[in-house]
């Protein structure tokens, strides 16, 4: 504005600032400044390493023939600029080069490191350029001893796009005035007193009392009552209605009825409106819509899934239809075990591998086509499910029984039994998980507070709730919640703690030098 006015330092009269052309110049200058600031805020944040390359955490996985780990480490350490270091998790080979492009005073630059995760070699770098260059050197030096398996990338944008949530503060339950509580109680009592004899669209125009006497409609009525229990349970205690009165009024037993035919998803969604909606035609009675059945339901496979190398064992017993593809079974296992579907996966069965199609691995078959019933045919058959090639979580999946389809049992998949929670993601495999439990169980450990924050303040290795898993599949009508589930000495409070700025704890390996 001073440039527009031709004034460098002296005061500017207010009259000149009020001139229309000067005001327009100030408005345009303000809009330009805001637009520039907005553009800077929208621009992706760029972080570079000391070579000037965009910072991307790269992890290349190589298959190594069984028993050749020592030979591979020896050849890696013989590469120019490489040296081996011992750590609690095994031997690590560090790769460096003289000097540094950004800091003239640095004598060397760490470009990456290599370490074993089970039978696989993992090479870690912090840019794609370094990963390509170091990978080419390793492949030239080791030749047929290695076969590249996969590459995982994690950029800065990925981290910034998923910031940790703000900590939730525990709030005391507000007390309603006694007068308001009495009014709410009267309204609820009047509403639910008439409800058993009200025609409901979700019951095909029938009343709940009529549905209770109908073998076809009774399961749908049970689903509606359970939905009422869920919503009433989320209210303040002084404002809840005892849904048990409706169970007794309709002479229904929720635990006995739970084994009946399950309502469809559309019926469950419609039941949420059943408590308040009234039918326009109470006199007209319509037959309930038929629930479509699949043309070929297939058999039901009863499977036991056990996570390898974790003691005490983490396991689940589930039932899945034989017509489920391996790709869908991967989704089921993610829910059943408690993973977050954040890494690559692969199935191995009968000498064949299944997963996502990749031109580099032509021998791998697509898991979107292969059916679970074609891979597991009779009791005793098994497959191996691997998740997260870095941590190397391998699961034994054993077929225990082949059952005929039973419409009266309910929907599939379903969880029958199990024990203990799956480890947190990215904790460093079975060895890292063991260290994590040790630190969580020892408040005097120097890393205890940091590790508690890393697990978001809430982790119980003994926690397992089959009802919660079945609710995740089918909306909550399946099993009662197990309120007596065991809790271990390592269990933490369920109140989450802030995780902002908390780095992943180290798990049994010495860290590489910081000059990367």
């Amino acid at each position: 504005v001073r440039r527009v006015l031709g004034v460098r330092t002296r005061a500017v009269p207010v009259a000149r600032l009020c001139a229309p052309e000067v005001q327009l110049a100030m408005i345009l200058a303000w809009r330009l400044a805001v637009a520039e600031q907005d553009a800077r805020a929208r621009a992706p944040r760029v972080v570079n390493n000391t070579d000037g390359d965009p910072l991307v955490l790269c992890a290349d996985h190589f298959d190594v023939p069984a028993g050749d780990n020592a030979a591979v480490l020896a050849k890696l350490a013989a590469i120019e600029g490489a040296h081996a270091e011992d750590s609690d998790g095994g031997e690590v080979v560090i790769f460096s080069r003289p000097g540094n492009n950004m800091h003239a005073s640095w004598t060397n630059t760490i470009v990456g490191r290599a370490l074993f995760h089970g039978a696989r070699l993992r090479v870690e770098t912090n840019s794609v350029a370094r990963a390509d260059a170091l990978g080419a050197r390793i492949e030239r030096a080791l030749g047929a001893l290695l076969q590249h398996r996969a590459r995982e990338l994690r950029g800065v944008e990925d981290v910034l796009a998923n910031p940790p949530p703000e900590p939730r503060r525990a709030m005391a339950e507000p007390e309603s005035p006694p007068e308001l509580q009495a009014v709410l109680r009267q309204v609820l009592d009047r509403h639910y007193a008439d409800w058993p004899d009200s025609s409901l669209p979700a019951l095909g125009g029938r009343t709940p009392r009529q549905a209770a006497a109908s073998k076809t409609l009774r399961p749908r009525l049970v689903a509606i009552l359970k939905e009422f229990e869920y919503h009433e349970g989320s209210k303040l205690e002084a404002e809840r209605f005892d849904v048990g009165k409706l169970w007794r009024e309709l002479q229904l037993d929720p635990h006995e009825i739970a084994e009946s035919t399950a309502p469809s998803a559309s019926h469950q969604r419609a039941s949420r409106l059943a408590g308040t909606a009234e039918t326009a035609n109470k006199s007209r009675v319509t037959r309930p819509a038929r629930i479509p059945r699949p043309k070929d339901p297939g058999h039901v496979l009863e499977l036991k899934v056990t996570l390898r190398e974790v003691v005490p064992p983490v396991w689940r017993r589930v039932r899945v239809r034989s017509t489920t593809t391996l790709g869908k079974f991967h989704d089921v296992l993610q829910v059943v075990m408690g993973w977050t579907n954040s890494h690559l996966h692969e199935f191995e069965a009968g000498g064949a591998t299944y997963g996502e199609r990749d031109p580099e691995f032509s021998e791998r078959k697509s898991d979107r086509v292969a059916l679970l019933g074609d891979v597991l045919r009779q009791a005793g058959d098994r497959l191996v499910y691997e998740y997260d090639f870095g941590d190397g979580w391998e699961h034994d999946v054993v077929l225990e029984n082949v059952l005929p389809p039973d419409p009266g049992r309910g929907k599939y998949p379903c969880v029958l039994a199990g024990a203990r929670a799956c480890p947190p993601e990215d904790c460093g495999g079975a060895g890292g998980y063991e260290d994590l439990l040790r630190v969580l169980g020892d408040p005097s450990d120097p890393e205890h507070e940091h590790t508690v924050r890393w697990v978001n303040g809430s982790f119980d290795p003994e926690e397992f709730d089959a009802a919660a898993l079945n609710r995740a599949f089918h909306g909550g009508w399946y099993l009662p919640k197990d309120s007596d589930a065991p809790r271990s000495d390592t269990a933490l409070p369920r109140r989450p703690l802030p995780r902002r700025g908390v780095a992943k704890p180290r798990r049994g390996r010495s860290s590489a030098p910081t000059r990367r």
Side-chain angles (χ1 to χ4, degrees):
V1 174
R2 286 185 175 274
R3 285 196 297 270
V4 172
L5 295 174
V7 178
R8 286 191 176 181
T9 58
R10 60 185 176 85
V12 179
V14 176
R16 290 197 64 186
L17 293 177
C18 291
E21 62 274 12
V22 178
Q23 289 188 354
L24 179 61
M26 286 193 290
I27 291 173
L28 294 176
W30 175 258
R31 290 181 60 185
L32 179 61
V34 171
E36 291 177 348
Q37 183 177 3
D38 198 29
R40 286 196 299 272
R42 288 198 305 267
R45 192 173 305 182
V46 178
V47 182
N48 298 327
N49 61 13
T50 56
D51 289 344
D53 302 325
L55 188 66
V56 179
L57 302 183
C58 299
D60 285 300
H61 303 276
F62 295 87
D63 281 341
V64 179
D68 287 347
N69 290 19
V72 169
L73 288 173
K75 287 183 176 292
L76 289 174
I79 296 176
E80 183 180 0
H83 67 278
E85 294 183 357
D86 290 328
S87 69
D88 295 338
E91 195 170 7
V92 179
V93 178
I94 307 297
F95 300 91
S96 63
R97 68 165 185 263
N100 187 270
N101 295 339
M102 183 176 295
H103 304 282
S105 61
W106 288 12
T107 59
N108 70 329
T109 301
I110 302 297
V111 296
R113 68 174 189 168
L115 62 157
F116 272 99
H117 272 275
R120 284 185 180 158
L121 181 72
R122 177 185 175 100
V123 179
E124 300 173 347
T125 54
N126 64 8
S127 74
V128 175
R130 287 183 177 180
D132 292 340
L134 182 57
R137 293 173 61 194
I138 291 175
E139 290 180 343
R140 284 197 301 269
L142 277 75
L145 284 178
L146 292 181
Q147 180 182 4
H148 188 266
R149 188 71 170 181
R151 170 175 288 184
E152 292 185 74
L153 303 176
R154 183 169 171 81
V156 177
E157 297 84 358
D158 188 19
V159 178
L160 297 178
N162 300 283
E166 293 291 338
R168 294 180 294 179
R169 298 179 180 178
M171 300 182 63
E173 207 172 69
E175 289 285 342
S176 301
E179 298 82 359
L180 178 59
Q181 294 180 18
V183 171
L184 291 175
R185 184 70 63 188
Q186 292 175 4
V187 172
L188 287 174
D189 289 343
R190 285 198 302 267
H191 171 72
Y192 285 112
D194 298 334
W195 187 80
D197 297 306
S198 302
S199 299
L200 303 180
L203 298 175
R206 305 288 184 90
T207 67
R209 201 178 302 277
Q210 292 171 333
S214 169
K215 184 178 180 180
T216 305
L217 295 177
R218 193 182 304 124
R220 203 179 309 174
L221 175 62
V222 170
I224 295 175
L225 292 175
K226 288 186 175 292
E227 191 75 19
F228 285 172
E229 286 182 338
Y230 173 79
H231 285 293
E232 292 298 329
S234 64
K235 297 180 181 178
L236 300 178
E237 185 175 0
E239 301 174 3
R240 294 174 189 166
F241 174 76
D242 183 10
V243 184
K245 295 180 180 180
L246 296 178
W247 289 106
R248 293 188 291 272
E249 174 73 17
L250 298 171
Q251 299 180 356
L252 294 175
D253 182 358
H255 301 292
E256 178 182 353
I257 301 297
E259 297 296 327
S260 298
T261 305
S264 67
S266 61
H267 294 154
Q268 292 188 32
R269 288 193 295 269
S271 68
R272 298 173 186 171
L273 304 176
T276 55
E278 295 184 359
T279 178
N281 273 320
K282 293 187 178 181
S283 59
R284 187 176 64 179
V285 177
T286 58
R287 297 181 62 184
R290 291 184 176 273
I291 303 175
R293 299 182 181 274
K295 294 182 179 179
D296 181 15
H299 295 285
V300 175
L301 307 181
E302 186 170 301
L303 308 166
K304 184 176 181 181
V305 185
T306 306
L307 186 61
R308 287 183 176 178
E309 299 181 2
V310 175
V311 180
V314 177
W315 63 275
R316 306 285 187 265
R317 179 169 286 111
V318 298
R319 286 181 178 174
V320 186
R321 293 194 182 276
S322 60
T323 53
T324 305
T325 65
L326 288 181
K328 291 293 184 182
F329 186 51
H330 156 71
D331 298 332
V332 171
L333 289 174
Q334 289 290 305
V335 176
V336 165
M337 298 302 297
W339 300 117
T340 62
N341 204 10
S342 305
H343 300 280
L344 302 174
H345 74 278
E346 188 175 74
F347 292 94
E348 294 184 12
T353 58
Y354 303 85
E356 296 183 3
R357 296 299 299 270
D358 191 330
E360 296 185 9
F361 307 105
S362 57
E363 73 280 2
R364 181 190 294 167
K365 301 179 181 180
S366 173
D367 60 4
R368 297 184 179 181
V369 178
L371 298 181
L372 188 60
D374 293 337
V375 177
L376 303 178
R377 298 176 178 270
Q378 57 186 0
D381 288 353
R382 63 178 60 224
L383 61 80
V384 177
Y385 169 69
E386 182 173 3
Y387 171 65
D388 185 358
F389 295 155
D391 284 357
W393 296 113
E394 294 185 337
H395 308 67
D396 288 316
V397 181
V398 181
L399 177 59
E400 293 186 327
N401 203 359
V402 179
L403 306 171
D406 183 6
R409 177 61 184 85
K411 293 185 177 181
Y412 299 97
C414 69
V415 181
L416 303 178
R420 284 167 284 279
C422 79
E425 295 270 1
D426 303 319
C427 68
Y433 181 48
E434 183 179 354
D435 291 342
L436 181 140
L437 294 182
R438 176 183 55 79
V439 173
L440 290 179
D442 183 8
S444 63
D445 192 285
E447 293 190 5
H448 177 78
E449 182 178 355
H450 173 81
T451 305
V452 169
R453 291 181 176 272
W454 185 75
V455 298
N456 204 23
S458 178
F459 179 70
D460 178 10
E462 294 295 329
E463 184 174 13
F464 170 74
D465 189 348
L469 295 177
N470 284 310
R471 280 196 296 273
F473 286 126
H474 307 300
W477 61 272
Y478 230 93
L479 295 174
K481 182 176 178 60
D482 184 5
S483 58
D484 299 325
R487 290 179 65 79
S488 70
D489 297 335
T490 327
L492 298 172
R494 296 186 185 277
R495 182 181 68 257
L497 298 177
R499 292 183 62 187
R500 185 178 300 280
V502 179
K504 173 182 175 181
R506 290 174 294 177
R507 293 279 165 257
R509 298 191 210 92
S510 63
S511 60
T514 56
R515 294 181 177 180
R516 296 183 67 84

